[in-house]
């Protein structure tokens, strides 16, 4: 029943505990009735469970072998510079202050205060955003200079105006400090992909040599280095290259299949 309870049960009220108990009882009633009707023996159900088990096993294997350490600052900077084309602005971006309100007269009154050089109260600062996200204010923001204010504009059910603090056009490289989290996630994804390629290459080599091996040996083989270009990991083999066993030929082993793949690659 633990899965039906929040992680911090000490803060649960009596009503929350009662509701969680009811959900657990409903779950058990439906589950037991489904089992009584042997619905778990349905072919579609069995096949679905088999697929889920396979996915869980593969996921467990990946998690046990593919462990990517957190990148250092130097590794992040190198990755950022190497993939600089990913961090450019795709549209004109601006940052500044915005004033919003449903009362046109109030917003107009606040805007008039800017004529005196005094920034009106009630504004909210925003960081870099595409001008496309600022609705009717976007066009004004492409024309005015830094420090100036746009005219009040109707935006849906609200009125708004903006003070421009800075603007950068399409194709400006965003600094690492701004995109650091995105860079980090991209780095980890690519490292995991390379490790998976190495794992598949190592497993394929073990199978084709028909050798017995242990998981520890595979872990030792897996590294961040990509396999040699001529030795394509199985994960990247085109589907059309893989020979399909004849119908009814159920005695062929996985070793035979890998050997057939190698023969097909040599012919190419």
């Amino acid at each position: 029943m633990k899965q039906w309870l929040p992680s911090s049960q000490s803060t649960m009220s009596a009503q929350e505990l009662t509701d969680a108990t009811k959900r657990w009882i409903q779950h058990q009633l439906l589950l037991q009735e489904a089992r009584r009707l042997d619905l778990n023996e349905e072919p579609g159900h069995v096949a679905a469970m088999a697929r889920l088990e396979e996915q869980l096993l593969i996921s467990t294997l990946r998690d046990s072998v593919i462990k990517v350490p957190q990148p250092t600052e130097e590794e992040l900077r190198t990755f950022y510079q190497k993939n600089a084309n990913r961090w450019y602005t795709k549209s004109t971006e601006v940052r500044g202050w915005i004033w919003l309100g449903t009362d046109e007269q109030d917003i107009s009154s606040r805007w008039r205060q800017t004529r005196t050089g005094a920034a009106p109260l009630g504004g909210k600062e925003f960081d870099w955003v595409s001008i496309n996200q600022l609705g009717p204010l976007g066009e004004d923001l492409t024309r005015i200079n830094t420090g100036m204010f746009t005219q009040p504009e109707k935006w849906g059910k609200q009125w708004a105006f903006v003070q421009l603090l800075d603007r950068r056009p399409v194709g400006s490289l965003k600094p690492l400090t701004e995109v650091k989290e995105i860079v980090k996630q991209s780095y980890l994804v690519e490292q995991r992909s390379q490790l998976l390629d190495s794992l598949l290459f190592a497993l394929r080599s073990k199978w084709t040599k028909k050798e017995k091996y242990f998981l520890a040996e595979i872990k030792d083989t897996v590294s961040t280095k990509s396999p040699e270009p001529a030795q394509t990991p199985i994960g990247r083999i085109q589907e059309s290259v893989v020979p399909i066993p004849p119908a009814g030929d159920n005695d062929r082993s996985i070793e035979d299949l890998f050997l057939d793949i190698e023969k097909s690659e040599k012919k190419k």
Side-chain angles (χ1 to χ4, degrees):
M1 183 178 172
K2 287 184 178 180
Q3 60 179 316
W4 301 98
L5 299 174
S7 56
S8 178
Q9 299 169 27
S10 59
T11 59
M12 287 186 68
S13 65
Q15 185 60 47
E16 289 173 331
L17 182 58
T18 299
D19 292 342
T21 304
K22 285 181 179 179
R23 289 195 297 271
W24 178 77
I25 291 173
Q26 292 169 356
H27 175 83
Q28 291 299 321
L29 286 172
L30 294 170
L31 179 61
Q32 296 305 323
E33 180 62 12
R35 285 175 174 168
R36 187 187 69 78
L37 297 173
D38 294 329
L39 296 182
N40 57 320
E41 300 298 330
E42 291 287 330
H45 175 82
V46 173
M49 289 300 294
R51 286 194 296 272
L52 286 173
E53 182 186 22
E54 290 174 358
Q55 292 170 2
L56 179 60
L57 288 172
I58 291 173
S59 177
T60 303
L61 174 64
R62 284 177 174 173
D63 291 343
S64 65
V65 177
I66 301 175
K67 297 184 183 297
V68 181
Q70 292 298 310
T72 64
E73 289 296 322
E74 184 60 32
E75 287 172 331
L76 275 185
R77 182 166 296 282
T78 300
F79 183 79
Y80 164 78
Q81 294 171 344
K82 182 180 178 182
N83 299 276
N85 61 308
R86 300 187 191 182
W87 328 121
Y88 282 94
T89 56
K90 294 180 174 59
S91 65
T92 298
E93 294 183 349
V94 295
R95 64 182 184 88
W97 284 80
I98 187 168
W99 286 261
L100 290 163
T102 55
D103 189 330
E104 179 184 2
Q105 291 185 349
D106 177 60
I107 288 297
S108 297
S109 175
R110 290 173 185 270
W111 178 76
R112 281 193 293 272
Q113 294 176 30
T114 67
R115 306 297 89 187
T116 65
L121 299 175
K124 294 182 179 179
E125 188 175 9
F126 61 89
D127 206 354
W128 293 106
V129 298
S130 167
I131 59 170
N132 300 329
Q133 295 178 252
L134 293 172
L137 301 169
E139 187 175 345
D140 286 346
L141 288 166
T142 61
R143 294 195 298 262
I144 64 175
N145 295 324
T146 302
M148 296 180 64
F149 293 81
T150 66
Q151 295 283 333
E153 297 280 357
K154 183 72 180 294
W155 190 359
K157 296 182 179 181
Q158 299 190 94
W159 287 84
F161 66 92
V162 165
Q163 181 185 24
L164 177 65
L165 294 184
D166 202 357
R167 176 175 56 218
R168 58 189 182 194
V170 177
S172 300
L173 179 60
K174 299 178 183 180
L176 176 58
T177 52
E178 183 180 332
V179 294
K180 191 171 185 179
E181 281 306 310
I182 299 175
V183 172
K184 181 179 178 181
Q185 292 305 315
S186 299
Y187 172 89
L188 292 173
V189 167
E190 290 204 5
Q191 290 298 304
R192 290 191 188 101
S193 178
Q194 290 181 18
L195 287 171
L196 178 59
D197 281 350
S198 296
L199 171 61
L200 291 169
F201 178 72
L203 289 172
R204 179 182 175 184
S205 298
K206 292 291 185 180
W207 276 109
T208 53
K209 292 177 183 177
K210 297 187 179 182
E211 295 176 352
K212 292 183 179 180
Y213 62 91
F214 299 96
L215 185 58
E217 296 176 10
I218 296 298
K219 286 184 179 180
D220 292 338
T221 308
V222 174
S223 67
T224 55
K225 295 180 180 178
S226 300
E228 294 296 327
Q231 299 168 319
T232 308
I234 189 172
R236 293 184 179 174
I237 292 176
Q238 295 297 320
E239 189 174 337
S240 59
V241 176
V242 180
I244 306 300
D249 186 5
N250 297 321
D251 296 329
R252 303 177 76 247
S253 65
I254 190 170
E255 295 97 326
D256 295 329
L257 178 58
F258 278 121
L259 290 172
D260 287 347
I261 291 171
E262 288 193 335
K263 290 176 183 177
S264 298
E265 290 175 350
K266 288 177 181 178
K267 288 180 182 179
K268 291 184 67 178

